[in-house]
Amino acid sequence: MGKLLDALSEKELDFIVKQKLFFVATAPIDGKINLSPKGIDSFRVITKNQVIWLNLTGSGNETQAHVDENGRMIIMMCAFEGAPNILRLYGKAEAILPSNSKWKEYISLFPKVPGSRQLLLLHIDAIQNSCGFGVPYFDYKGERDTLNLWAEKKGEVGVREYQELKNTTSLDGKPVRLD
């Protein structure tokens, strides 16, 4: 049985720093649930009850559509090496776009990455730490450079055109803000 916590302790903070992969899940009030794997150097702890991650341009923009509608988000990390562990962070998120006054404060926490689309700030209201005994071992071989190379090749204008074409409507037809 997992332990329910109300704030990140040093144990969870140490675990988070070692992770190369995390999963984000959101859901609209009605419609399709979204679950996405995330990597690259895109996750930061702000406080013991706040984390933020950098979302890059992709084929869709479900996360922001759902966050704009209801804010619900869960982030999950699991140990693929070392001691077994699964960490889930539950809470309400807010999307911070480049036009938001908070953008400059938070984007400085991350390396410059082409195709940066929005920041997702999660206000954590519950944390579950569980065993992870059934999670298999995997070997980390490195980051893929495909997304960064794609965004560099398109350039800022090309990425913006792609976002306007592919990232302004969710799978369920909900509008998504770019600014």
Side-chain angles (χ1 to χ4, degrees):
M1 186 67 173
K3 290 190 290 185
L4 201 57
L5 310 168
D6 58 4
L8 294 167
S9 71
E10 289 303 316
K11 178 182 173 185
E12 287 79 34
L13 294 172
D14 289 343
F15 178 73
I16 288 170
V17 168
K18 295 174 186 168
Q19 302 314 300
K20 304 290 187 201
L21 172 70
F22 61 100
F23 300 87
V24 176
T26 58
I29 294 168
D30 291 309
K32 295 167 189 63
I33 296 168
N34 186 58
L35 173 62
S36 296
K38 303 294 178 183
I40 309 180
D41 184 13
S42 61
F43 191 89
R44 298 289 183 273
V45 174
I46 304 297
T47 69
K48 292 185 179 196
N49 287 96
Q50 273 188 337
V51 297
I52 194 166
W53 58 277
L54 174 62
N55 197 11
L56 305 174
T57 300
S59 57
N61 205 351
E62 300 305 298
T63 301
Q64 186 179 329
H66 300 166
V67 166
D68 283 352
E69 184 178 76
N70 61 48
R72 296 180 308 151
M73 179 182 286
I74 179 171
I75 295 173
M76 185 192 80
M77 298 176 175
C78 53
F80 294 114
E81 60 186 22
N85 192 35
I86 299 172
L87 181 66
R88 293 178 182 92
L89 310 175
Y90 299 88
K92 293 281 185 177
E94 62 178 293
I96 300 171
L97 301 170
S99 60
N100 186 305
S101 61
K102 296 178 187 178
W103 177 265
K104 285 187 181 181
E105 173 188 354
Y106 289 120
I107 195 65
S108 66
L109 299 172
F110 300 94
K112 186 169 173 55
V113 181
S116 297
R117 181 170 59 188
Q118 70 257 121
L119 297 162
L120 282 298
L121 179 64
L122 180 64
H123 305 277
I124 301 168
D125 57 40
I127 299 160
Q128 184 185 39
N129 205 334
S130 57
C131 69
F133 292 165
V135 176
Y137 288 108
F138 280 98
D139 292 325
Y140 176 73
K141 293 185 178 183
E143 297 290 340
R144 296 177 193 261
D145 61 359
T146 311
L147 185 59
N148 288 346
L149 292 174
W150 172 86
E152 286 172 5
K153 184 177 177 183
K154 281 210 166 286
E156 284 185 36
V157 172
V159 168
R160 182 60 181 203
E161 289 170 351
Y162 180 88
Q163 290 173 343
E164 289 171 0
L165 181 66
K166 300 281 189 176
N167 293 168
T168 57
T169 307
S170 75
L171 290 172
D172 296 312
K174 298 175 188 303
V176 183
R177 301 173 296 128
L178 293 179
D179 291 315

